Amino acid sequence: MHDYKWLHEYCLNRFGSAAALERLLPQPRSADELRAVSDDRYLSLIALRIFRAGLKHSLVDAKWPAFERAFFGFDPEKVVLMGGEHIERMMQNTDLIRHLGKLKSVPRNAQFVLDVAKEKGGFGQLLADWPEEDIVGLWRYIARHGSQLGGLSAPRFLRMAGKDTFVPSNDVVAALKAQKVIDKVPSSQRDQAAVQAVFNRWREESGRPLCQLSAMLAFTTNH
């Protein structure tokens, strides 16, 4: 398996300079920035991630102001009270994406956000306090306690929220296969632990956040 030095040199060669590479790399939010975001914004992001899954992002994003209105600005205290009949009526609203399963997930995830807020003092506190060395554990926590947040949805939501994470996209998985870290999509805890260990080592070697290492790894296969 190659070390971080190989990854860095590959990306420098591909983009021509350190400055060109840095412009392409994402920046995670700090713990204080994560804590400062209100719970309604996290619920909105969770819902946005779920509705984006399998659809063109620009289509979903264009409709999102209508979702904000329909779900009371994603105030979890209000959304959690929305019953089945209310959600069924939303299926008649042409301003929304009328997917019953995804619509039903919003009140369920409002309860998830409220439960976390009660325990931690805010959803942002959970994200801020969770150690990046076990980011796959946060994926599993979100998938287990949330609704429709399995697969890539948890890491993609975290990336949208600014929490430092790698994302096992097709390009990243292909690169990890080429490095003999895994031989398939890392869906098992064992494979996720193996990937986490590699990212942790590169993070220690480079001082870079996981999201930047993830992007750099994707650059080795994304031509």
Side-chain angles (χ1 to χ4, degrees):
M1 182 184 64
H2 290 297
D3 58 13
Y4 168 74
K5 184 179 178 183
W6 160 83
L7 180 61
H8 188 236
E9 288 180 352
Y10 183 100
C11 290
L12 283 181
N13 288 335
R14 179 172 176 190
F15 296 108
S17 71
L21 171 61
E22 295 302 328
R23 284 195 292 271
L24 296 169
L25 297 178
Q27 290 288 345
R29 283 180 165 171
S30 69
D32 286 344
E33 287 173 326
L34 291 168
R35 292 187 190 100
V37 176
S38 59
D39 287 341
D40 61 285
R41 292 304 85 207
Y42 281 121
L43 180 57
S44 178
L45 271 184
I46 289 170
L48 179 60
R49 171 57 231 155
I50 289 168
F51 276 91
R52 276 181 174 181
L55 293 174
K56 192 174 181 180
H57 291 185
S58 59
L59 168 72
V60 181
D61 295 352
K63 288 181 172 285
W64 210 245
F67 275 86
E68 290 281 352
R69 291 191 296 272
F71 284 101
F72 309 109
F74 288 98
D75 180 340
E77 297 276 6
K78 294 178 180 177
V79 174
V80 77
L81 299 176
M82 297 172 74
E85 288 185 8
H86 193 142
I87 299 297
E88 290 282 357
R89 285 197 299 275
M90 284 186 169
M91 292 292 288
Q92 311 307 315
N93 186 344
T94 57
D95 290 335
L96 304 179
I97 294 165
R98 292 173 290 175
H99 185 296
L100 185 58
K102 292 184 178 187
L103 289 169
K104 284 182 174 179
S105 76
V106 183
R108 292 169 185 161
N109 284 322
Q111 186 63 61
F112 171 40
V113 168
L114 289 171
D115 290 344
V116 169
K118 184 177 180 181
E119 181 181 348
K120 304 287 186 181
F123 200 85
Q125 193 73 41
L126 170 74
L127 302 190
D129 290 349
W130 200 285
E132 285 79 12
E133 300 82 44
D134 180 38
I135 201 66
V136 298
L138 183 54
W139 299 355
R140 289 194 290 269
Y141 180 91
I142 290 171
R144 184 167 69 250
H145 294 285
S147 175
Q148 296 213 14
L149 288 168
L152 285 178
S153 285
R156 289 200 186 281
F157 155 67
L158 291 175
R159 176 64 61 79
M160 291 162 65
K163 173 66 174 176
D164 190 22
T165 186
F166 58 90
V167 176
S169 63
N170 291 340
D171 288 333
V172 169
V173 168
L176 291 169
K177 285 180 179 177
Q179 299 302 310
K180 304 290 194 292
V181 177
I182 50 174
D183 55 15
K184 61 182 184 301
V185 174
S187 54
S188 69
Q189 288 195 27
R190 178 183 174 184
D191 284 346
Q192 288 177 358
V195 175
Q196 178 83 68
V198 169
F199 272 94
N200 287 349
R201 183 160 72 82
W202 287 345
R203 183 170 177 251
E204 191 173 331
E205 289 176 9
S206 67
R208 287 188 179 277
L210 300 174
C211 59
Q212 293 188 1
L213 295 167
S214 183
M216 291 169 71
L217 202 57
F219 292 151
T220 68
T221 58
N222 183 15
H223 290 284

